[in-house]
Amino acid sequence: MRVVDEKKQRRIVWGALLVALLAVNYYWFKSPVTIGFDPNDEKCLPDMHLSLLVKQNPAHVERGDLLFWEPSGALSYIKQAYVLKRVSGVPGDRLQVTGEEVLVNGEVVAKGLPLVDTTKVSTKAFERDEVIPAGKFFMTGTHPLSNDSRYWGYLDVGSVVGKGYKIF
């Protein structure tokens, strides 16, 4: 019985040490992993409540991946540390944006431009039919009112901090 108690005590000590090391890593060093959530009432990814954000420049990015970056430019009003959106278009994909729908390689990825009235710019200014250039991603949210690449353009590969993964 005494051997079991000693093993249990060792596990507790090692577990506490591990937790302490993780805490030190988190507070004193740049942690390679963080937890993300969207505190806004209108979420751009409404089916995602909590996500794991891995701070590592991804070697390979595909349509459907979640990428995050620090807000800047047209998104500088965002107070959170990172913006998380879904990759809807990668370099070489054909992008078509009209007032009615957004297509990537002929597949609908978003419905029109519902936020155009908030921009003080005409719908025509956002419409395009082009190939996504090298080093750029077309990012969208799943909410119809997501402020995404339809309005502010492509995400540069150099701005990507890492990939996100849905927890729930």
Side-chain angles (χ1 to χ4, degrees), residues 69 74-75 83 85-89 95 97 102 104 109-110 112-113 115 125-128 130 132 136-141 146-156:
W69 65 96
L75 299 176
V83 176
K85 302 273 185 194
R86 181 185 65 204
V87 177
S88 290
L95 172 68
V97 179
V102 179
V104 173
V109 296
L113 299 162
L115 296 179
F126 295 103
E127 291 182 344
R128 56 190 150 184
E130 61 195 23
I132 298 174
K136 307 287 184 183
F137 300 112
F138 188 80
M139 309 299 295
T140 61
S146 173
N147 183 3
D148 50 36
S149 284
R150 292 176 279 184
Y151 307 100
W152 41 261
Y154 299 115
L155 173 66
D156 188 80

Side-chain angles (χ1 to χ4, degrees), residues 74-100:
L75 299 176
S76 59
Y77 69 91
I78 294 174
K79 302 295 184 226
Q80 290 77 28
Y82 301 111
V83 176
L84 177 71
K85 302 273 185 194
R86 181 185 65 204
V87 177
S88 290
V90 297
D93 284 349
R94 182 168 179 230
L95 172 68
Q96 296 170 286
V97 179
T98 68
E100 291 79 40

Side-chain angles (χ1 to χ4, degrees), residues 10 12 74 79 101 142 154:
R10 277 192 216 137
I12 290 171
K79 302 295 184 226
E101 57 190 4
T142 55
Y154 299 115

Side-chain angles (χ1 to χ4, degrees), residues 51-82:
S51 59
L52 180 70
L53 306 177
V54 179
K55 297 177 187 176
Q56 181 179 12
N57 202 345
H60 182 71
V61 176
E62 298 178 356
R63 271 180 245 89
D65 286 349
L66 297 168
L67 298 180
F68 66 98
W69 65 96
E70 295 177 359
S72 63
L75 299 176
S76 59
Y77 69 91
I78 294 174
K79 302 295 184 226
Q80 290 77 28
Y82 301 111

Side-chain angles (χ1 to χ4, degrees), residues 7-18:
K7 285 184 179 181
K8 188 175 183 180
Q9 285 178 337
R10 277 192 216 137
R11 282 192 212 136
I12 290 171
V13 169
W14 281 108
L17 183 59
L18 179 62

